[in-house]
Amino acid sequence: ERAADLDDLRARAIAHLLGAPMPGVPDPGHPYILIADDLSPADTAALNPDLVLALVTARGGPTSHTAILARALALPAVVGCAGILAVPDGTLLRVDGDQGLVDTGVTDTADTGSAPASAARRRPARDVEEYSGPGQTADGHLVPLLLNAGSARDAHTPAARHAEGVGLLRTELLFLGRHQAPTLEEQRDAYSQVLQAFPGRKVVVRTLDAGADKPLPFLGLGEEPNPALGIRGLRTALVRPDVLDLQLDALALAAAASDADVWCMAPMVATPGEAAAFRERARAHGLHVIGAMVEIPAAAIRARRLLDEVDFLSIGTNDLGQYTLAADRQCGQLAELLDPWQPALLDLIAACANAGREAGKPVGVCGEAAADPLLACVLTGLGVTSLSMSAAAIAPVGARLARHTLADCERFARAALDAPDARTARADVARLAADRDPDPPESESESEPGAGAGAEPAPRPGAPDTFAAV
Ligand code: PEP
Ligand code: MG
């Protein structure tokens, strides 16, 4: 347990002897753009967005946890940016998280009117600034826009005011970096703080999704040769059933003391049998509305049978994309395969939505796909019943949805499913949407904040030294 402290001490001693900056996230005493090889989820979660204006990492993919946490902090981020570590400290940069671009050839900040060491963020379009909910298409088809939260801070952030509830509480993020299992009281209090922010609203709490890219040392899972295919998510209950039982107890206590409408779901469910076992266990602890995440292709293929066992499904497109395309979500080089516009991923989402329609049960999306405004329209057209995303994405998604009718969204969905690849799907839908768009995306006012992922880098003639990444 103390080994990490000793490693840190060693790194500090060496930095001191070399006259180099101290290791870890630097604090130069003024706002700056942070460049890193990669960051741990704990480091990213602790970043102060007032100090760190943008984040660029050499590694990581668009659905890696660095990108997700950066989006939650509304921090412009470009991940998987090979070669960025060669940029010398002190270089003036422009970072475009929407396009996935980093310019190192910036010589002045005249176009932003800002001093080099201060933030210059594009203003959102007027309908984004004025968005006040609820989530609906231009013809009034309601699609609740919910919040993805990893902490009580996310739930109480001002940007969360338009959220119609919580669609995904990532409970493991509350306990990152912990070496001891949190106690019943600690967990109850942590969940209560989130529930308090949403009286009378739906709050979907996911049980611990530890393992693989979200290590929780106190579970003692040990080394695995292939952790993404190993003991993670619901499977950790095979090794530590006591941890799941304690969590369900704590959640039931928090739910009983709150006005929120608490739904509980399990991550990484593979079979209807697992879904049924989880339902029984959660009900035995006093929880009532029980669901399963669809993150494994087997669950999507058998979505209808899963819905025989549980009350709702929530599609985790980050993992569903990773497992469908066999592409590690941490791997920046595979960003194209991890693109949530991949038609194979959309086929599986369509299958789940159809199953939900047949069963008369809700099927939402809580992966990063829901935070892409245009893709959110496609998901609506495919028939998903709610979209859950980080707070910063709610207004851009809501404003975009309000520009199109349900029939438009269905047309977008057909075009995306017909496309041969992700790039074409995005381009075809963008073309269809532009026909009806009062505020074309080319305009300077279109801004969809968050970790840059997926948007086709626009050619920038004359822009020197531009890195295109994800
Ligand atoms: C997902 O896989 O899409 C998801 C929402 O879960 P996480 O990103 O936490 O793995
Ligand atoms: Mg997942």
Side-chain angles (χ1 to χ4, degrees):
E1 232 177 70
R2 297 274 81 88
D5 295 348
L6 290 174
D7 285 346
D8 185 47
L9 206 55
R10 176 199 55 194
R12 283 168 185 277
I14 291 173
H16 181 72
L17 291 171
L18 295 178
M22 283 297 145
V25 175
D27 179 4
H30 58 75
Y32 66 105
I33 293 170
L34 177 61
I35 291 179
D37 182 37
D38 202 358
L39 288 175
S40 69
D43 278 341
T44 314
L47 293 179
N48 175 355
D50 294 332
L51 202 57
V52 177
L53 302 179
L55 174 65
V56 185
T57 62
R59 289 194 288 151
T63 55
S64 66
H65 278 82
T66 303
I68 292 172
L69 290 168
R71 202 193 279 279
L73 293 169
L75 193 66
V78 174
V79 298
C81 190
I84 193 67
L85 295 180
V87 173
D89 194 16
T91 308
L92 191 57
L93 300 179
R94 181 180 292 114
V95 177
D96 184 336
D98 291 342
Q99 303 283 350
L101 291 177
V102 180
D103 287 355
T104 56
V106 182
T107 51
D108 63 60
T109 52
D111 58 338
T112 61
S114 72
S118 61
R121 301 212 173 128
R122 267 185 302 170
R123 279 195 70 153
R126 191 164 333 110
D127 61 351
V128 173
E129 279 191 323
E130 290 174 359
Y131 177 79
S132 62
Q136 57 184 330
T137 57
D139 54 341
H141 172 74
L142 291 172
V143 187
L145 302 185
L146 308 168
L147 178 72
N148 282 0
S151 65
R153 183 172 74 167
D154 292 345
H156 291 272
T157 173
R161 68 192 178 286
H162 300 314
E164 295 167 62
V166 174
L168 169 63
L169 175 61
R170 287 185 166 100
T171 53
E172 63 282 352
L173 300 187
L174 295 166
F175 308 114
L176 277 179
R178 293 279 302 255
H179 289 270
Q180 303 284 331
T183 63
L184 179 78
E185 291 74 21
E186 274 178 293
Q187 293 197 50
R188 180 202 58 203
D189 293 350
Y191 306 144
S192 294
Q193 282 176 24
V194 176
L195 300 183
Q196 268 164 20
F198 292 92
R201 300 299 182 117
K202 172 167 104 176
V203 177
V204 184
V205 180
R206 177 175 79 182
T207 56
L208 285 180
D209 181 23
D213 54 338
K214 287 168 277 189
L216 284 185
F218 61 79
L219 286 178
L221 297 177
E223 295 276 315
E224 287 181 297
N226 204 345
L229 299 182
I231 309 292
R232 62 164 291 198
L234 181 59
R235 299 166 185 185
T236 58
L238 297 171
V239 200
R240 291 294 306 270
D242 56 313
V243 174
L244 178 58
D245 285 326
L246 188 72
Q247 180 173 37
L248 292 171
D249 268 343
L251 181 58
L253 285 174
S258 139
D259 294 334
D261 179 17
V262 176
W263 296 19
C264 174
M265 67 181 178
M268 297 290 294
V269 173
T271 65
E274 286 180 2
F278 179 73
R279 178 203 63 217
E280 288 310 304
R281 198 167 189 157
R283 292 221 172 121
H285 284 268
L287 294 159
H288 306 295
V289 186
I290 313 300
M293 285 198 69
V294 177
E295 300 172 282
I296 299 176
I301 292 165
R302 309 218 105 195
R304 183 64 192 84
R305 289 176 195 241
L306 232 58
L307 280 168
D308 286 339
E309 308 297 347
V310 288
D311 304 310
F312 69 97
L313 296 180
S314 181
I315 306 172
T317 49
N318 308 333
D319 276 313
L320 190 56
Q322 137 163 289
Y323 294 121
T324 303
L325 280 300
D328 184 340
R329 63 192 270 192
Q330 305 278 71
C331 183
Q333 281 160 302
L334 301 179
E336 198 164 329
L337 293 175
L338 292 162
D339 189 329
W341 286 83
Q342 281 289 347
L345 174 61
L346 299 179
D347 272 338
L348 291 180
I349 297 172
C352 294
N354 287 341
R357 224 177 336 238
E358 256 180 63
K361 293 184 177 178
V363 174
V365 169
C366 66
E368 291 304 290
D372 173 335
L374 206 49
L375 189 49
C377 296
V378 170
L379 299 173
T380 300
L382 290 174
V384 308
T385 55
S386 64
L387 299 165
S388 191
M389 64 205 75
S390 57
I394 291 176
V397 167
R400 167 60 82 169
L401 210 50
R403 293 182 204 167
H404 304 286
T405 62
L406 179 59
D408 288 338
C409 293
E410 287 169 350
R411 204 152 37 90
F412 301 165
R414 280 193 298 276
L417 290 176
D418 280 349
D421 53 46
R423 230 169 243 264
T424 316
R426 181 187 291 105
D428 287 353
V429 174
R431 211 171 305 113
L432 286 174
D435 287 349
R436 299 270 179 121
D437 196 347
D439 185 10
E442 293 75 35
S443 90
E444 182 58 18
S445 57
E446 175 84 356
S447 174
E448 286 143 10
E456 177 96 357
R460 309 249 320 236
D465 309 322
T466 299
F467 291 89
V470 289

